[in-house]
Every structure is written in structure tokens, then in C-alpha cells.
Amino acid sequence: MSSSKGSDKAAEEVKTEQQIEEAGKTGGKKPAEKKTADAQADAKAVQKKKEQADTKTSSKKTVKKTTTAKKTEKPELKPEVYIEYQGQQAQEAAVIEKVKAAYVSSGHRVTSIKNMQVYIKPEEFKAYYVINNGKYTGEVFLF
């Protein structure tokens, strides 16, 4: 399809050159002025067509770039962490949920948590936590 567009453009350029020559031959009081005026008009028309073709191809290229960017995005890795001690097992996500539940049961909202640190001490079978830089602290049982 691009080869036919190229041949169409070449044919148009040949036609415009022929028209310029004919305009000069037909005469008139000022043939040189007609040639330059016609040449300028034809050059503007050819340039507009080129710009339109460029914008069409550039918009197609932009679409292709965005689709390749989507393909390179990888899902975030979410590991499952388990704590085992003396034959008992606790999952890290379950401990976090226990901490959130304890925080909510004390009258706070989960959405008010800005940061959280959890310290696990399996020998005591507990997890100690600090929420919002020490404003709220507590402990939950691991198992």
C-alpha cells in the first residue's frame, strides 16, 4: 500500500510540473509571474499533503508505542511469608490482619493507618506492632 502512495505522489508531482510548464507556454503579459505563483501554490499543496501523510503515520506510531509499553508492565510480586515455630505456623498476611483488627477494635479506623511496623517474636508467640510512628502500639498472638 505504501508503494502505491509513493507512485501517486510522484504522479502528482509530474502533473504539477507539467501544469507549470503549460501555464508558461499559454502566455499572458507576465508569464514569469504566473510560473512563480503557480509553482508556489503547487508547492504549498504538495507540502500540505506530505504533512497530512506524516501526521497519519506519526499517530499510528504513537499507538504502537503505547501498546508496547503496556506489554512491558509486569505485575507486582506478592510473596507469601510464613512463620514457623515449634510445629506451629502463621502466615504473615494473617498477622497483619490481626493487627488491623486490634487497631479497629480499639476505636480507630483502618484508613487512618499511615505506616505500620510489626515485630514478630515467635518464642513469645506474639507479634508487637507500632502504628503511625508510635502513636499506637500493641500486641497480637501469632498462633
Side-chain angles (χ1 to χ4, degrees), residues 28-112:
K29 292 183 181 177
K30 300 178 182 175
E33 290 178 12
K34 282 187 179 180
K35 285 183 182 179
T36 57
D38 288 341
Q40 289 175 353
D42 290 337
K44 288 180 182 179
V46 170
Q47 187 168 352
K48 284 182 182 179
K49 288 180 182 179
K50 285 181 182 179
E51 289 174 0
Q52 290 173 351
D54 289 342
T55 56
K56 288 179 182 177
T57 57
S58 66
S59 64
K60 289 180 183 178
K61 289 178 184 178
T62 306
V63 172
K64 289 179 182 178
K65 288 180 183 179
T66 56
T67 56
T68 56
K70 290 179 182 178
K71 290 180 182 177
T72 58
E73 293 178 12
K74 294 181 181 179
E76 184 179 330
L77 177 66
K78 295 182 181 181
E80 292 183 23
V81 179
Y82 295 93
I83 299 110
E84 290 186 352
Y85 185 72
Q86 294 182 351
Q88 295 182 334
Q89 184 182 42
Q91 190 174 10
E92 178 254 349
V95 174
I96 300 294
E97 289 303 315
K98 286 181 182 180
V99 168
K100 288 179 182 178
Y103 185 70
V104 169
S105 68
S106 66
H108 300 90
R109 296 182 190 166
V110 174
T111 56
S112 67

